[in-house]
Amino acid sequence: MAGILKRLLSMFFRNLFKKKKHVKLGLYGPPNGGKTTLANKICKDWLGEEMGAVSNISHETREIQIKEEITIKSNSRELTFNLVDTPGIATKIDYEEFIKEGLKEKEAKTRAKEATKGVIDAIKWLDDMDAVIVVLDASKDPYTQVNITIIGNLEARDIPVLLIGNKIDLKKADIKKVQSAFPQYEVIGISAKYGNNLEDFYEYLFKITT
Amino acid sequence: MLTLQFIPYVEIEGLDSIKRINKILKLVKDEKIVLLEGKLKSHEEAELISKTMEEVDGKFKGIELSVINPESTDTKDIWQKLRTLFIKLLLGNREGFTIIGPATIIKEIKKDPEKIQLFTEDSHKKR
């Protein structure tokens, strides 16, 4: 059953990238999973410039960011897409948490307000995506409702999903656990920060699109 | 004091998505933990998160939610699957439970396929 699903997903991706000129490839996930770090790595690898700022304080990305016309190449193969980095989706935002992380009260309140708007925007943009890379922190519990809700919404909209278990450089990272939480997907383990296993990630993108 | 409010499926069955979400959110904003029979549709879950974000302020910090879903046991029995599908068509999506509570009271919900744990402010400090 999983094999059939994977083949259907692969066929869908191939047709999608062949037919559309400007495919929107979204990066979705909970806050601090490494979406922007991965976006930066992709942009640095193929455009020579980064996409956005990253931080240890959660909700650093609070607005939708787009890099257009990214072309990745391998041997004679080419793949072009617009990369859309979205704010992390969360069910709660507490400005006091930002104060604990070192921000002043005014900054923390502004960040919280912007972060709530970011979550709303990320959800609104779900309908505009042609395909989505869901970026999860492999060192954290994958069985959260936010993860399930994101993937459930993508499935309900028939949007193809690539599941990434990021931060495999951390000792606590457990790709098997992520895989067992979402057995219907092939989970690719990477470290966007150190570039570990990015070749597999790009290869997987090619495999399903060419 | 913690208040647990049970909402049977029949209470939301006839409501449209917006009314369902408003009903849940109103109870949660009144600092009640909602135990909903059945589950919301995936677009309703996303809408609940959006609505929650619109309501976040200095006092209301958001929600914690989790779905206990017997389907996630991933049965391979085709008859069991057909039976579930038939019940769903006949009675609506009332399988499982959804727990939704204010983030100021529930700090974390931990879930694996077999069990669910709610950590409140005090239990979180003790961990």
Side-chain angles (χ1 to χ4, degrees), chain B:
Chain B
M1 186 184 70
L2 287 178
T3 308
L4 195 66
Q5 173 112 20
F6 178 64
I7 304 182
Y9 185 78
V10 287
E11 253 186 57
I12 60 157
E13 195 177 13
L15 302 179
D16 63 30
S17 294
I18 295 167
K19 282 182 183 158
R20 282 181 188 193
I21 289 159
N22 287 343
K23 184 184 177 80
I24 292 165
L25 212 48
K26 187 177 180 301
L27 289 167
V28 173
K29 285 193 79 180
D30 285 342
E31 303 206 317
K32 287 171 182 155
I33 298 169
V34 174
L35 185 60
L36 174 73
E37 183 188 13
K39 54 185 184 176
L40 297 171
K41 295 180 181 107
S42 57
H43 76 88
E44 288 173 338
E45 280 180 16
E47 190 57 34
L48 175 64
I49 295 173
S50 283
K51 280 271 173 206
T52 300
M53 288 298 118
E54 285 174 15
E55 301 278 332
V56 165
D57 54 26
K59 198 173 160 226
F60 179 63
K61 309 286 171 76
I63 59 169
E64 275 289 349
L65 86 150
S66 190
V67 178
I68 307 165
N69 187 4
E71 281 172 48
S72 64
T73 51
D74 200 24
T75 176
K76 285 190 169 65
D77 184 345
I78 190 82
W79 294 111
Q80 179 67 31
K81 278 184 179 172
L82 285 172
R83 187 177 153 268
T84 308
L85 189 68
F86 183 68
I87 291 170
K88 225 184 249 185
L89 287 171
L90 206 66
L91 302 172
N93 202 359
R94 64 175 66 193
E95 272 211 330
F97 284 96
T98 305
I99 298 170
I100 308 148
T104 42
I105 294 174
I106 303 177
K107 289 289 143 192
E108 193 183 358
I109 301 178
K110 277 183 95 73
K111 191 174 83 167
D112 66 32
E114 305 301 326
K115 66 179 177 188
I116 190 160
Q117 292 173 297
L118 263 66
F119 294 94
T120 54
E121 177 81 33
D122 286 343
S123 60
H124 214 256
K125 278 177 190 166
K126 283 175 195 164
R127 286 169 79 203

Side-chain angles (χ1 to χ4, degrees), chain A residues 24-191:
Chain A
K24 283 198 201 89
L25 185 61
L27 287 162
Y28 272 81
N32 265 23
K35 295 178 292 300
T36 306
T37 308
L38 178 59
N40 281 341
K41 185 72 188 143
I42 296 169
C43 291
K44 193 88 180 153
D45 282 353
W46 304 100
L47 295 176
E49 58 186 39
E50 294 199 334
M51 189 165 187
V54 290
S55 162
N56 287 331
I57 304 173
S58 57
H59 297 282
E60 179 66 21
T61 306
R62 299 184 293 284
E63 285 180 353
I64 304 281
Q65 299 184 80
I66 306 169
K67 272 279 182 214
E68 294 189 333
E69 299 269 333
I70 299 175
T71 301
I72 64 174
K73 294 174 185 173
S74 175
N75 300 326
S76 56
R77 298 171 301 175
E78 264 192 29
L79 178 63
T80 302
F81 52 85
N82 295 343
L83 190 64
V84 184
D85 186 21
T86 66
I89 294 180
T91 58
K92 58 182 178 183
I93 290 169
D94 184 355
Y95 77 90
E96 287 172 5
E97 292 296 321
F98 298 139
I99 293 174
K100 283 180 200 162
E101 291 178 76
L103 296 188
K104 289 181 180 153
E105 187 174 337
K106 199 180 168 191
E107 280 177 311
K109 283 184 173 170
T110 306
R111 191 181 187 94
K113 201 170 174 58
E114 289 171 357
T116 57
K117 195 181 166 298
V119 174
I120 295 166
D121 286 345
I123 291 170
K124 270 186 198 158
W125 272 69
L126 272 171
D127 288 318
D128 290 326
M129 296 299 157
D130 297 309
V132 165
I133 301 166
V134 176
V135 184
L136 304 181
D137 181 342
S139 70
K140 297 229 169 105
D141 177 16
Y143 293 99
T144 67
Q145 198 57 40
V146 163
N147 294 348
I148 295 162
T149 300
I150 294 169
I151 291 171
N153 271 272
L154 293 166
E155 283 174 354
R157 288 165 170 81
D158 285 328
I159 298 170
V161 175
L162 288 185
L163 200 51
I164 297 295
N166 190 24
K167 306 192 185 183
I168 55 165
D169 54 291
L170 299 179
K171 270 188 184 172
K172 279 172 76 182
D174 188 348
I175 283 293
K176 280 184 187 162
K177 197 173 179 186
V178 182
Q179 183 68 78
S180 65
F182 302 101
Q184 68 273 42
Y185 296 100
E186 187 175 331
V187 179
I188 311 286
I190 64 161
S191 166

